[in-house]
Amino acid sequence: MDKARLFQDDRVGNKVYAHAIDDEPWWRRQKTPLICAFCVTPVVSQRTAVGRAPRGALFRLAKDRQHENVCPLNPIEVLQKIAHGSQGVAVIEGDELHLVLPDDLGQIGATTPVIDTAPADNGDPFGTSISTVRPLLPPLINSAVVIVRFLQKHDYDPDVVAQFKVRRPGEKTAVSWGEFCHGPTPDDQAQLFTRLTRGPKPQHPVAVYGRITEVKPDSQGRPVLHLAAGKGFTVRIRSDHPSLLAPLTAGTFVLAVGTWKIWTPHRGRPELQMYAEEHWQLAHWTYDEATGHSSRPACPPPLSLAQRALQQARSAAARKPGPGKPARLSPKPPSPSGPPTSAAPTPDASPQVQVQPPSAPTPTPTPTPTPTPTSEGSPASSKPTSIARPVMPDATPPPEPTPPAPPLPPLPSTPPRPTTPPRRRTRRSWWPFSRRR
């Protein structure tokens, strides 16, 4: 805990804060009795540890003591409230609360948000009420926000943190809370940096909890959230939608849940970054460590229809095959109905048609123009002619009037025609002499 109250002569006195413990205040030198800030359970002060196991100054419960049932810092009551409103993603096992993690981020957003029927806790300056973050959040995110804020009230007391654990996808054995939520110190975030660089990488969404130190625009003018820098790397939150990061300012505490990765720029230190795509990935609130006042948690507004259309277009463009990948073949267009025009059919595939010889053979048949068909469709007129001439078959049969037409018969052999000599170009000097003057 970060605050307590003096208890002298069976009377409740003023509040005292954990940040003054290392300065040896008078109540610590005189060993004045202390109680919880929200109930009458005795507590003791603990200084900052010096050595290999650093810890923060805080107030801890006295030995063999528990908070009262009505106290908002009672872990048993808080665990019951979280499990009751989690829609099954948080279960109680003994004196522990297990948060069940999904395989990917899409499963978190697909769940139904928690409907908050409790009154707003605007009148609670310490923010100890357990309520749903507005706009409505998925059950897992809302449960994680409540747990983090509860641990913040206890200054991440190891004994209190040990009561919260997580179950990874496909596993029944619960692991520590630090496997899912990394924070609030840079050393906690360095553990995630080591997991992503050296492996094995987490197979589930992870969360980073910390305080925003500054907000700076990137090269395209979009805001970028900077968290406390670790040793050799920085922690930043980015987004293609500036509206998701606009409500968050410097000094705000944030819980960012999503897919984290390592990005190494050409110049500068490596970056532990996350790209926010949905409003429920970022829950933020303010907390004053000196006074213990806490604001109601909130999250950015959801994406608009135009932003979702842009997001879907970018996702579709990312799924298209690159230049090195073969594109899908388009279906073959149907062939046109009708006789082929580019090549004649082979003799094996077409039926053999016998051509009748002329009735009166001549020594050298000369091609004659085909007579114009009459209205009945006969090749010659019904009137007799003075000279009977044989009718030769045309070099190319007329097209069939009704499709589809049968395949064409093989063409008869014709003597080769003499090649025509190329036409000489007329000289321009000849033209003036042919004009009339």
Side-chain angles (χ1 to χ4, degrees):
M1 295 180 290
D2 61 344
K3 52 190 166 297
R5 292 181 297 178
L6 300 175
F7 190 74
Q8 295 176 313
D9 301 330
D10 295 335
R11 297 180 61 181
V12 178
N14 297 330
K15 293 181 180 180
V16 293
Y17 299 96
H19 61 84
I21 295 177
D22 290 338
D23 298 333
E24 288 293 333
W26 65 269
W27 47 264
R28 180 176 172 84
R29 293 194 303 267
Q30 297 180 7
K31 298 182 180 180
T32 304
L34 304 175
I35 61 175
C36 174
F38 305 99
C39 63
V40 294
T41 305
V43 298
V44 294
S45 59
Q46 174 184 288
R47 298 185 59 184
T48 303
V50 179
R52 295 184 178 181
R55 64 184 181 185
L58 50 82
F59 298 102
R60 305 183 65 176
L61 291 175
K63 186 177 181 181
D64 299 332
R65 294 289 185 149
Q66 294 291 336
H67 289 279
E68 297 179 0
N69 294 335
V70 296
C71 180
L73 298 184
N74 186 354
I76 299 177
E77 294 295 325
V78 174
L79 266 59
Q80 293 287 346
K81 292 181 180 180
I82 296 176
H84 179 72
S86 65
Q87 299 184 8
V89 299
V91 295
I92 295 180
E93 294 289 341
D95 58 348
E96 298 177 349
L97 181 71
H98 296 179
L99 192 65
V100 183
L101 302 179
D103 293 330
D104 53 24
L105 199 65
Q107 299 180 9
I108 299 178
T111 55
T112 305
V114 178
I115 300 177
D116 185 14
T117 57
D121 58 353
N122 296 331
D124 182 9
F126 298 101
T128 57
S129 299
I130 307 300
S131 59
T132 304
V133 183
R134 296 287 184 173
L136 298 180
L137 294 181
L140 186 138
I141 303 297
N142 183 73
S143 301
V145 171
V146 175
I147 293 173
V148 170
R149 284 167 54 85
F150 178 76
L151 296 178
Q152 188 182 42
K153 302 300 179 183
H154 288 271
D155 283 350
Y156 269 74
D157 188 348
D159 294 338
V160 181
V161 176
Q163 294 184 274
F164 299 92
K165 295 185 178 181
V166 293
R167 294 182 186 176
R168 292 177 292 192
E171 299 182 6
K172 296 183 179 180
T173 304
V175 295
S176 64
W177 176 254
E179 291 289 329
F180 167 68
C181 183
H182 299 267
T185 64
D187 293 337
D188 299 327
Q189 300 165 1
Q191 296 179 2
L192 177 59
F193 183 85
T194 304
R195 293 175 62 185
L196 296 178
T197 53
R198 302 177 183 176
K201 297 182 180 180
Q203 301 300 324
H204 53 80
V206 296
V208 170
Y209 159 65
R211 192 170 190 173
I212 301 175
T213 57
E214 60 181 354
V215 181
K216 289 185 177 180
D218 60 1
S219 58
Q220 300 182 6
R222 299 172 299 188
V224 179
L225 307 182
H226 297 249
L227 276 67
K231 297 180 180 179
F233 68 96
T234 58
V235 183
R236 296 176 182 175
I237 302 175
R238 302 175 180 266
S239 179
D240 292 332
H241 309 288
S243 62
L244 295 181
L245 306 183
L248 285 79
T249 58
T252 303
F253 288 89
V254 60
L255 178 69
V257 183
T259 303
W260 291 81
K261 63 179 181 179
I262 303 297
W263 176 65
T264 304
H266 297 289
R267 297 180 181 179
R269 297 188 299 176
E271 179 177 321
L272 177 62
Q273 64 172 215
M274 186 199 80
Y275 267 83
E277 299 179 355
E278 297 291 344
H279 72 282
W280 45 261
Q281 293 184 253
L282 302 172
H284 59 92
W285 64 93
T286 59
Y287 179 71
D288 189 356
E289 297 179 357
T291 61
H293 288 193
S294 178
S295 66
R296 181 180 176 89
C299 62
L303 297 179
S304 61
L305 296 179
Q307 290 175 324
R308 292 200 176 277
L310 179 61
Q311 185 178 11
Q312 294 176 0
R314 289 175 178 174
S315 301
R319 289 193 298 265
K320 288 185 178 180
K325 299 181 180 180
R328 296 183 60 185
L329 299 177
S330 58
K332 184 178 179 181
S335 57
S337 59
T341 56
S342 59
T346 57
D348 297 338
S350 60
Q352 299 293 335
V353 179
Q354 296 291 339
V355 180
Q356 297 294 335
S359 58
T362 56
T364 305
T366 57
T368 58
T370 305
T372 305
T374 60
S375 60
E376 290 81 3
S378 59
S381 176
S382 59
K383 297 181 180 180
T385 56
S386 58
I387 301 176
R389 295 182 180 180
V391 180
M392 297 295 297
D394 295 335
T396 57
E400 295 292 336
T402 57
L408 299 176
L411 300 178
S413 59
T414 56
R417 296 182 180 181
T419 58
T420 308
R423 186 176 180 181
R424 296 181 58 184
R425 288 181 129 184
T426 306
R427 298 177 60 182
R428 297 186 61 180
S429 61
W430 178 86
W431 291 102
F433 295 97
S434 64
R435 295 176 182 176
R436 294 182 181 181
R437 295 185 180 180

